[in-house]
Amino acid sequence: MSGDQIDCGSRFNDSHKHKEKYKEKEHKHKDHKKDKEREKAKHGNSDHNDSSDQKYRDKEKEKMKNKDGSADKYKDKHKEKKTKPLDVKVKKENGFASPPPAVKSEPQDTFFHSPKLEKSLKRERADDNDSDFKAKKVKIENDKKVKKRKPEEEDIKPKKPTNKRAVTDGRKKVKKEPEEKWKWWEEERYTDGSKWKFLEHKGPVFAPPYEPLPSHVKFSYDGKHMKLRPEAEEVATFYAKMLDHEYTTKDIFRKNFFKDWRKEMSAEEKAKLTDLKKCDFAPMSEYFKAQSEARKAMSKDAKLKIKEENERLLQLYGFCIMDNHRERIANFRIEPPGLFRGRGDHPKMGMLKRRSRPKDIIVNCSKDSKHPEPPPGTKWKEVRHDNKVTWLVSWTENIQGSIKYIMLNPSSRIKGEKDWQKYETARQLKKCVDRIRTQYREDWKSKEMRIRQRAVALYFIDKLALRAGNEKEEGETADTVGCCSLRVEHIKLYPENDGQEFVVEFDFLGKDSIRYYNKVPVEKRVFKNLQLFMENKETDDDLFDRLNTSVLNKHLQELMDGLTAKVFRTYNASITLQQQLKQLTSAEENLLAKILSYNRANRAVAILCNHQRAPPKTFEKSMQNLQAKIDAKRDQLYDAKRELKSSKADAKVRRDEKSKKTVETRKKAVERTEEQLMKLEVQATDREENKQIALGTSKLNYLDPRISVAWCKKWSIPVEKIYNKTQREKFAWAIDMAEGDFEF
């Protein structure tokens, strides 16, 4: 046996003797409580023995510290009261205190940790509850120190992530850090027109290259298998993926697709493929359906790998550094190739959206930043350093020649400032709207036809929240119109209709090919002017033939700086919400009823702005399920009330505490069930009323969020009930800024 082994064994035996001795003392202490003074006298020299053996125990403890920490346990238990104040004192003096709590509270980078010592300390913390309590106490003290340092570090914003790593040793602190948001609205804004001083990002992520279909997936033409070249096969897969969609039944879609598909074919393929009806895409379609099902049936591990890869890409490409702050990018991916769909009956639907390549991409960043690297062997079209714009990447798509952008997330400073400015401009309109209305009423009587037309159009934009409408090239886009581009066929005049005088019926396709249909009574002079505008005109002639959006916008700028037709929509939407909330909200209502009132106020705005939607495909089924829940809850309430009635009758007879408690319990059960039933009924009402109304568009784009936040604060309603997490991030400035007495 070696000397080390003998030494180790003797240390173990010594340690064991210490433990036995301590246990014996503790046992005697418990058995002879009545003779406490006598026992103290008997064992009174233990402290003296401890002090005389102190050097020996210290020596032994130092040797066995990395093995099992038994001496530490003995010492901690025996001298618990003495250790605590000493520990705190040492912590205040320096960061190198030997007890475990002080070690735990220090940053890992400060000094070296022995792995063996770590294991020993973990065991001590697990066994000793008092030690755990001390650790928490020290940690709180450390937190206070961090808070004191924060004001000094606020100006050095790029160092925030570094501080986060240095200060945080526990996981709880890491979770709290992301909640600290940059309050850009408390800082001064740029006055020279620049949007940023420094911008750095990694550029876009391109769509993955095309992977040819497996050999068993066949394409057939006129009943015969045919192998397509990769370029033609890729376009064929776009059509195959949409085979069950309504689009592939439309002639214009099929015609445009076949025309663009032939451009990707070889000369031999062009010669053979002459009729789309003879093409069989079914095997391709079945293959993609099977792929889709396989993705749904993936194991958790496989899904986790995909999620991790997406997260890696997000961390790499999904953020930029703008003016020393890390900002989220909205969508960092370039649109993949596919078939253009468009809104409504778009004349270009079915055309091929070509793959964008680095040579098509313009990158925007600051000169002193690290420029994004293009994929190997490629070059960007251009690298710009324009700080007067907010986009990071741009390219021109091939269908309509429109410019596409990669922008910052809605929660970013740039987007937030834009929103804030939009609502402030609408609030400025509130101050002068009466003057503008008086002026356009006077212009209805003008001797000049162009002024009359402009005044009537402005009346519609103000009263009905119509969009101005833009000039478009015929055949390039769907036949959608706005106020200035209305044609004679889009309105009908009724001197009297449904008991109302001077009624105008509007029926046209607005933005995104959504139908606008409305019957509204108008003022007599407006009605007479419309009759005048329609004289001697064909149905496809312009109603306002002496007006266009350029003329209207120029006039609006003269009325108020920054005024556009959209400002009118924003103003009318926000003021309508504020008025509706005042009318519909009652102090006696509970939380659910107040939220229903808010949704009804929001709905009034959505109707004003014509924010419609098609009923969801699953609407009927979900309503049936909800109704079944309501019926079951009503039955439950009936049973609960019957049980309560029975309990009350029983309590009158028995008159004891048990029966009284039963009555109280069942009364609470009835109240709880009534509340649950009301919640379900409110949900059903809300869902039915919103079946064809899109509340989200107006809530996110036309309603000043400060109105909603102020309403929540006034009635003590959690903002989470009105805005989800993403929306709260977008409107962080409003949530922080608005108080309960805010007025639009």
Side-chain angles (χ1 to χ4, degrees), residues 151-305:
E152 297 171 12
E153 292 169 359
E154 274 176 4
D155 295 330
I156 315 171
K157 280 163 187 165
K159 291 187 181 178
K160 273 188 178 177
T162 312
N163 291 337
K164 201 186 294 181
R165 282 188 224 103
V167 173
T168 59
D169 192 37
R171 288 179 185 176
K172 288 181 182 178
K173 193 72 181 174
V174 175
K175 285 181 183 177
K176 287 179 183 177
E177 281 297 328
E179 292 176 11
E180 292 183 15
K181 299 291 182 183
W182 173 28
K183 293 189 176 184
W184 50 260
W185 51 91
E186 294 179 355
E187 298 178 6
E188 289 186 16
R189 297 166 68 181
Y190 297 130
T191 55
D192 59 353
S194 62
K195 306 296 182 183
W196 44 265
K197 300 297 182 187
F198 179 85
L199 174 62
E200 182 176 285
H201 57 93
K202 295 285 185 181
V205 172
F206 290 88
Y210 174 66
E211 293 182 11
L213 293 170
S215 57
H216 69 273
V217 181
K218 308 289 185 183
F219 167 76
S220 301
Y221 181 75
D222 200 14
K224 295 177 183 178
H225 293 317
M226 184 174 176
K227 181 67 178 173
L228 300 171
R229 74 177 191 144
E231 292 83 355
E233 185 183 82
E234 182 182 16
V235 179
T237 62
F238 299 153
Y239 191 86
K241 287 174 184 176
M242 296 179 67
L243 207 56
D244 295 335
H245 204 284
E246 184 189 356
Y247 277 105
T248 55
T249 63
K250 296 180 179 181
D251 289 338
I252 187 69
F253 186 92
R254 293 166 63 87
K255 181 184 173 184
N256 286 336
F257 160 71
F258 196 59
K259 183 180 177 182
D260 278 6
W261 186 27
R262 285 178 62 81
K263 293 175 184 176
E264 303 301 316
M265 295 178 189
S266 64
E268 187 182 347
E269 288 167 344
K270 279 183 185 178
K272 286 183 181 178
L273 300 174
T274 55
D275 189 353
L276 184 60
K277 291 177 183 177
K278 293 180 180 180
C279 296
D280 183 11
F281 298 96
M284 287 185 183
S285 179
E286 292 301 319
Y287 170 73
F288 289 119
K289 285 178 187 175
Q291 291 286 95
S292 178
E293 291 300 318
R295 278 194 294 273
K296 290 176 186 176
M298 278 172 123
S299 66
K300 284 186 178 179
D301 289 341
K303 287 179 179 176
L304 185 63
K305 282 182 182 178

Side-chain angles (χ1 to χ4, degrees), residues 18-30:
H18 280 298
K19 285 183 181 178
E20 288 298 316
K21 186 178 179 182
Y22 184 74
K23 284 179 183 175
E24 188 182 343
K25 275 193 248 180
E26 191 176 351
H27 181 68
K28 285 179 181 179
H29 184 72
K30 285 180 181 176

